[in-house]
């Protein structure tokens, strides 16, 4: 499996191509593209080519696929769920930040 690693100030972060993200999660590449273009799934742009997905994106993609396959959530429901989960994560991070201030 092709895995590209990029360095950031916080250390090494893995980055996965669309093809590899599909293989890792079982989601079809077209569905992953839909998630990305719709803003449901975030990824780093790759200079005009297909985006790269990090470990957090892979985790979220697996979760979305669970909701789709096991619970029968449609694309509209997944968009709503994805937005709500991101908002919860943002609020949790804000609370942690305020707790340290």
């Amino acid at each position: 499996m092709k895995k590209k690693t990029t360095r950031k100030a916080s250390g090494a972060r893995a980055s996965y191509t669309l093809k590899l993200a599909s293989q890792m999660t079982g989601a079809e590449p077209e569905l992953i593209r839909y998630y990305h273009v719709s803003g449901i799934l975030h990824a780093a742009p790759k200079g005009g080519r297909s985006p790269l997905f990090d470990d957090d994106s892979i985790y979220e993609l697996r979760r979305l696929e669970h909701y789709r396959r096991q619970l029968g959530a449609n694309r509209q429901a997944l968009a709503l769920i994805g937005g709500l989960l991101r908002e919860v994560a943002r609020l949790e991070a804000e609370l942690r930040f305020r707790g340290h201030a």
Side-chain angles (χ1 to χ4, degrees), residues 47-58:
R49 297 171 56 190
S50 64
L52 291 174
F53 301 92
D54 63 11
D55 290 327
D56 293 337
S57 298
I58 296 299

Side-chain angles (χ1 to χ4, degrees), residues 34-46:
Y34 169 80
Y35 289 154
H36 176 64
V37 170
S38 300
I40 299 170
L41 182 67
H42 295 283
K46 198 167 87 170

